[in-house]
Amino acid sequence: MTLTDYLYYIILPVLAFSVLLIVYRFIKGPSIADKIIALDVLITTGIGIIGVYSIIHGRSTFLDTAMILALIAFLSTVAFSYYLEKRNRKK
């Protein structure tokens, strides 16, 4: 089994299944914090899929896109956390 076979037949199905579980958690999350965490994990899984695609096709430009997406995900998580903290202080 080569690396490409391993990525196609093991890693990508696991990532696809995890996307389904994360979307379920995003829809059913009882609180806004659960939904924010699910969205962050969904973006992280998308970064993993971009990384696998980059390895399979041998294009490193997709890794730059993944890095920018990771930065946006981090900043959005920090912004949502700041918003939740401010909202809880007003109560």
Side-chain angles (χ1 to χ4, degrees), residues 52-62:
V52 168
Y53 185 81
S54 174
I55 291 170
I56 289 172
H57 294 287
R59 297 187 180 181
S60 62
T61 56
F62 292 118

Side-chain angles (χ1 to χ4, degrees), residues 22-36 38:
I22 294 165
V23 168
Y24 174 76
R25 185 63 183 162
F26 181 75
I27 293 170
K28 290 296 215 178
S31 70
I32 189 77
D34 291 331
K35 292 182 180 192
I36 291 170

Side-chain angles (χ1 to χ4, degrees), residues 29-50:
S31 70
I32 189 77
D34 291 331
K35 292 182 180 192
I36 291 170
I37 291 170
L39 188 62
D40 189 44
V41 173
L42 184 66
I43 292 172
T44 304
T45 306
I47 291 168
I49 291 171
I50 291 171

